[in-house]
């Protein structure tokens, strides 16, 4: 499909305006699906008219006014049949002239925040939350989301339709949760964003070129959240983590697509702009004066690497300490495994191996390729090449990522060479 | 993709005349809007070229020539920049159109330039581009 220049411009305006539009409409009509339909209707009308009439001065306000008119039309037709529409008829904002400039920025931010709490609502499956957030807050098309997840377009479309229906039938309110609930719900939101980012960053299966879109969207929505919920330390923590991880995009794989380990990356190519943004976000989180949460801790670890100009300058004792703090906040065998690596770097491979050996009995790590991979590395450093080779081969048999498998087999082969020496 | 919105200098900015409070306010608002859209990476205003330095290489392979400002040819001087991360060229244009007239005196000019992506600088740029096109990224 070849889009005309006008269509491409409208597409860009949609990307800028759609989330605000859908958020504002959801506040008025209290139905996320209807709100999206109304916004889409406005877009269709824009696509018909703008190529002829030219783009209006304030396209966002134009789209909102048009969508509200559609809502009123719909109301008149359905009022007698459906009680929901009757409730809707009383919403005064539907009848006021749209003037986005006069609306306080804070109000728009609040609507966006309510919308994201809705799309990340725990009533939805994790997959549905991600798809709905990408669709309604990032303005991605179903087609783009499907590509990003290597899924069929119909699967994603269905997932989104079902999610909207679920929210509607459960009468999930359009609001920012208060009190105790806020913390849990905020965690759920951050989890969705980080899941989105990781899906893009780690490319768990198959080929890996399409994923950057997910990372970019996750980072963007994280930055938006940092502006509309600035008092949440973990929001800044997550943004810091994503900024710093993104700074290594261009060095984490070779030109032929092989992964490059953090310590082997060319640090001169790390994106200093993103590192500075990440460190600034971490500082914002710190300044809120609460103890580090799990995202801020991970960001602080990431920052240790970012600040070391050479791999040999890495502050491993600090990283080991941060992992220990992390394992207290969110105890998990994977955090423990990372702590083992940090300990081995700070105090020697034998100390790391002790922790790893304890993890060998951990049932949740069975089948996790990084465990034998780390163990192999530590054994290699202790010149126990026989055992190291076995571990690398075992790890290679477990990973789903082809590039990683190649890397692990290469390391196993190195062990075989070292044995003979 | 990243774009740099480059604000050109004017006779006022070169003379060190500060923008009006209204314009400063509008610029501040605009930057906030960029931040709230999650696309602002960096933005700075630059001092006038009177404190600038130019290093040029008039002789290929020769020594650099260092010249202190101020420089003439206002149109070739930059007064500020804003770096944004967007999904398309059109989105960058749309945002640039929303920037307030940077000087408000008839000399305002914004130039939009795309930043090279790392893969464009690699020898495999052709293949990457093909993949992107194929999947409409």
């Amino acid at each position: 499909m070849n889009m005309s220049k006008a269509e491409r411009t409208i597409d860009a305006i949609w990307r800028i305006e759609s989330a605000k539009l859908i958020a504002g409409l959801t506040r008025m009509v209290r139905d996320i699906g209807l709100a999206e339909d109304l916004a889409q209707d406005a877009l269709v009308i824009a696509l018909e008219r703008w190529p002829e009439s030219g783009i209006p001065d304030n396209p966002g306000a134009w789209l909102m006014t048009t969508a509200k008119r559609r809502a009123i039309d719909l109301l008149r037709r359905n009022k007698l049949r459906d009680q929901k529409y009757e409730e809707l008829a009383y919403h005064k904002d539907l009848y006021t002239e749209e003037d986005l400039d006069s609306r306080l920025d804070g109000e728009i931010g609040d609507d966006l925040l309510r919308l994201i709490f809705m799309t990340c609502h725990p009533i939805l499956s994790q997959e549905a939350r991600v798809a709905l957030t990408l669709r309604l807050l990032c303005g991605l098309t179903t087609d783009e989301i499907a590509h990003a997840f290597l899924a069929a377009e119909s699967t994603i479309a269905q997932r989104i339709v079902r999610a909207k229906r679920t929210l509607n039938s459960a009468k999930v309110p359009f609001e920012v949760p208060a009190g105790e609930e806020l913390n849990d719900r905020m965690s759920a939101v951050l989890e969705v964003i980080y899941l989105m980012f990781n899906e893009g960053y780690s490319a768990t299966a198959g080929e890996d070129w399409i994923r950057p879109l997910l990372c970019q969207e996750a980072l963007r929505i994280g930055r938006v959240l940092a502006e509309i919920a600035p008092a949440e330390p973990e929001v800044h923590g997550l943004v810091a983590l994503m900024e710093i991880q993104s700074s290594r995009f261009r060095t984490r794989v070779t030109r032929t697509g092989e992964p490059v380990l953090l310590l082997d990356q060319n640090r001169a190519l790390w994106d200093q702009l993103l590192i500075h943004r990440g460190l600034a976000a971490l500082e914002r989180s710190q300044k809120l004066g609460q103890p580090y949460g799990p995202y801020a801790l991970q960001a602080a670890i990431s920052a240790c690497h970012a600040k070391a100009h050479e791999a040999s300058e890495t502050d491993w004792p600090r990283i080991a300490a941060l992992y220990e703090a992390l394992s207290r906040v969110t105890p998990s065998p994977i955090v423990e495994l990372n702590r083992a690596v940090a300990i081995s770097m700070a105090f020697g491979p034998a100390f790391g191996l002790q922790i790893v050996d304890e993890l060998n009995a951990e049932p949740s790590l069975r089948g996790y390729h990084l465990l034998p991979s780390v163990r192999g590395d530590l054994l290699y450093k202790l010149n126990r090449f026989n055992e190291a080779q076995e571990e690398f081969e075992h790890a290679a048999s477990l990973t789903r990522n082809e590039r990683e498998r190649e890397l692990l087999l290469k390391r196993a082969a190195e062990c075989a060479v070292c044995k003979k020496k | 993709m990243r774009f740099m919105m480059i604000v050109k200098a004017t006779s006022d900015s070169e003379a060190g005349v500060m923008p009006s409070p209204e314009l400063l306010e509008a610029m501040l608002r605009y930057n906030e809007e960029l931040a709230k859209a999650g696309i602002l990476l960096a933005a700075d205003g630059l001092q006038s070229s009177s404190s600038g330095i130019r290093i040029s290489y008039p002789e290929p392979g020769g020594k650099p020539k260092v010249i202190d400002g101020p420089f003439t040819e206002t149109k070739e001087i930059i007064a500020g920049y804003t770096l944004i991360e967007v999904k398309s060229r059109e989105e960058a244009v749309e945002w640039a159109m929303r920037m307030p007239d940077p000087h408000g005196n008839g000399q305002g000019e914004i130039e939009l330039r795309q930043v090279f992506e790392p893969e464009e600088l690699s020898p495999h740029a052709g293949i990457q581009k093909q993949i992107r096109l194929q999947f409409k990224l």
Side-chain angles (χ1 to χ4, degrees):
Chain A
M1 186 182 71
N2 224 340
M3 281 202 276
S4 73
K5 191 163 179 292
E7 281 169 336
R8 286 200 306 269
T9 301
I10 295 168
D11 197 51
I13 290 170
W14 176 253
R15 179 172 162 79
I16 296 171
E17 304 293 345
S18 65
K20 287 184 269 181
L21 201 58
I22 292 166
L25 288 164
T26 307
R27 177 170 44 79
M28 290 175 231
V29 303
R30 305 280 150 177
D31 175 341
I32 205 167
L34 178 60
E36 198 201 358
D37 289 345
L38 291 167
Q40 288 281 354
D41 287 349
L43 176 69
V44 169
I45 298 170
L47 279 165
E48 280 164 17
R49 296 205 191 144
W50 291 359
E52 295 288 318
S53 66
I55 313 276
D57 283 345
N58 191 337
W62 191 98
L63 287 168
M64 184 59 106
T65 305
T66 309
K68 288 201 304 194
R69 271 191 209 130
R70 294 282 303 172
I72 294 165
D73 284 350
L74 209 66
L75 252 164
R76 290 199 180 119
R77 271 186 273 135
N78 295 309
K79 189 158 58 178
L80 299 172
R81 276 187 293 162
D82 194 328
Q83 197 216 333
K84 188 178 73 200
Y85 290 110
E86 198 164 345
E87 284 171 25
L88 191 154
Y90 295 112
H91 205 291
K92 61 175 179 18
D93 284 0
L94 213 48
Y95 299 94
T96 49
E97 193 61 26
E98 196 54 35
D99 182 4
L100 282 183
D101 286 340
S102 76
R103 283 203 67 202
L104 297 171
D105 283 351
E107 289 176 34
I108 297 172
D110 289 348
D111 280 349
L112 279 178
L113 197 56
R114 292 183 189 116
L115 185 65
I116 196 168
F117 275 113
M118 212 167 179
T119 61
C120 298
H121 198 280
I123 200 174
L124 303 172
S125 72
Q126 202 67 270
E127 284 175 326
R129 293 180 214 175
V130 171
L132 201 60
T133 304
L134 283 169
R135 167 98 190 168
L136 298 183
L137 279 132
C138 304
L140 294 196
T141 63
T142 310
D143 184 42
E144 283 171 319
I145 302 168
H147 272 305
F149 284 98
L150 311 174
E153 198 183 334
S154 57
T155 310
I156 298 292
Q158 245 181 16
R159 195 175 289 168
I160 291 171
V161 168
R162 240 183 272 133
K164 288 191 284 198
R165 211 178 288 149
T166 306
L167 289 174
N168 208 20
S169 54
K171 294 199 164 38
V172 168
F174 185 65
E175 63 180 22
V176 174
E180 285 285 297
E181 209 199 341
L182 178 63
N183 271 338
D184 288 348
R185 294 284 305 280
M186 186 53 92
S187 301
V189 169
L190 299 182
E191 203 181 325
V192 168
I193 297 173
Y194 197 43
L195 199 82
M196 214 187 265
F197 184 83
N198 267 329
E199 187 66 31
Y201 202 73
S202 56
T204 47
E207 296 292 332
D208 40 26
W209 24 257
I210 222 152
R211 308 308 182 90
L213 180 67
L214 285 179
C215 289
Q216 281 162 17
E217 286 309 316
L219 187 48
R220 189 170 75 91
I221 205 76
R223 288 172 184 154
V224 171
L225 200 58
E227 294 301 314
I228 58 182
E232 293 291 329
E234 276 292 86
V235 172
H236 301 297
L238 175 60
V239 171
L241 179 60
M242 293 192 294
E243 300 268 16
I244 297 176
Q245 288 189 339
S246 298
S247 75
R248 300 172 196 145
F249 248 130
R250 61 184 91 166
T251 53
R252 54 193 284 278
V253 286
T254 63
R255 279 169 183 169
T256 48
E258 288 166 56
V260 182
L261 298 173
L262 183 63
L263 297 182
D264 298 333
Q265 292 178 13
N266 179 355
R267 295 178 181 229
L269 295 178
W270 284 357
D271 189 327
Q272 291 302 321
L273 179 63
L274 294 183
I275 288 176
H276 282 124
R277 291 184 58 86
L279 296 177
L282 189 58
E283 209 181 301
R284 267 178 103 178
S285 172
Q286 249 169 333
K287 278 194 177 149
L288 290 166
Q290 289 173 36
Y292 271 156
Y295 291 112
L297 278 169
Q298 291 176 74
I301 292 165
S302 217
C304 285
H305 293 296
K307 283 192 229 165
H309 297 296
E310 301 279 344
S312 59
E313 290 172 19
T314 312
D315 187 350
W316 288 107
R318 179 171 162 79
I319 294 177
L322 287 165
Y323 270 120
E324 195 173 332
L326 186 61
S327 75
R328 257 181 262 139
V329 184
T330 52
S332 100
I334 295 190
V335 173
E336 217 30 34
L337 184 60
N338 280 297
R339 190 170 74 88
V341 174
I343 293 270
S344 79
M345 295 301 285
F347 310 110
F351 292 96
L353 192 61
Q354 270 178 13
I355 304 173
V356 173
D357 284 345
E358 282 163 31
L359 287 171
N360 254 343
E362 179 61 50
S364 66
L365 287 185
R366 198 159 294 149
Y368 183 54
H369 68 281
L370 281 183
L371 180 62
S373 161
V374 166
R375 191 157 191 274
D377 185 60
L378 296 177
L379 289 165
Y380 180 88
K381 285 176 179 154
L382 292 165
N383 293 333
R384 289 158 66 176
F385 301 120
N386 262 326
E387 296 157 87
Q389 185 182 355
E390 273 174 36
E391 293 290 352
F392 284 131
E393 281 165 358
H394 183 208
S397 72
L398 294 176
T399 180
R400 283 190 294 155
N401 186 306
E402 280 167 45
R403 306 288 195 187
E404 211 159 19
R405 181 168 22 249
E406 283 167 28
L407 191 76
L408 287 163
L409 290 175
K410 211 162 97 186
R411 295 213 61 188
E414 277 166 26
C415 293
V417 173
C418 290
K419 268 193 298 191
K420 283 178 197 146
K421 277 183 189 164
Chain B
M1 49 179 83
R2 287 182 185 180
F3 278 84
M4 186 177 269
M5 299 191 268
I6 302 163
V7 171
K8 299 296 186 66
T10 63
S11 35
D12 271 4
S13 74
E14 277 299 280
V17 178
M18 288 303 282
S20 69
E22 292 79 24
L23 187 56
L24 281 176
E25 167 71 29
M27 279 304 214
L28 210 67
R29 240 184 107 101
Y30 176 69
N31 280 353
E32 264 175 36
E33 215 182 313
L34 295 178
K36 283 193 172 144
I39 60 161
L40 177 66
L41 291 180
D44 285 299
L46 305 181
Q47 296 184 6
S48 73
S49 77
S50 60
S51 60
I53 302 119
R54 256 180 200 170
I55 294 128
S56 61
Y57 293 87
E59 299 290 331
K63 283 193 174 172
K65 206 170 117 191
V66 180
I67 310 155
D68 285 324
F71 310 115
T72 48
E73 291 295 322
T74 313
K75 289 257 170 202
E76 286 174 18
I77 298 170
I78 293 169
Y81 71 90
T82 304
L83 199 61
I84 55 173
E85 175 99 57
V86 292
K87 203 160 142 250
S88 67
R89 184 186 163 80
E90 286 74 19
E91 195 187 336
V93 174
E94 185 56 32
W95 280 113
M97 299 282 278
R98 295 180 186 200
M99 187 190 269
D101 172 355
H103 300 288
N105 61 2
Q107 291 180 313
E109 190 175 305
I110 302 160
E111 189 171 310
L112 206 50
R113 301 280 293 272
Q114 188 174 352
V115 177
F116 271 121
E117 300 291 328
E119 64 263 34
E120 288 179 295
L121 300 170
S122 86
H124 298 280
I127 302 168
Q128 298 256 4
K129 202 172 170 192
Q130 235 177 0
I131 291 170
R132 275 166 182 269
L133 282 177
Q134 196 179 343
F135 290 94
K136 291 184 276 183
L137 272 186

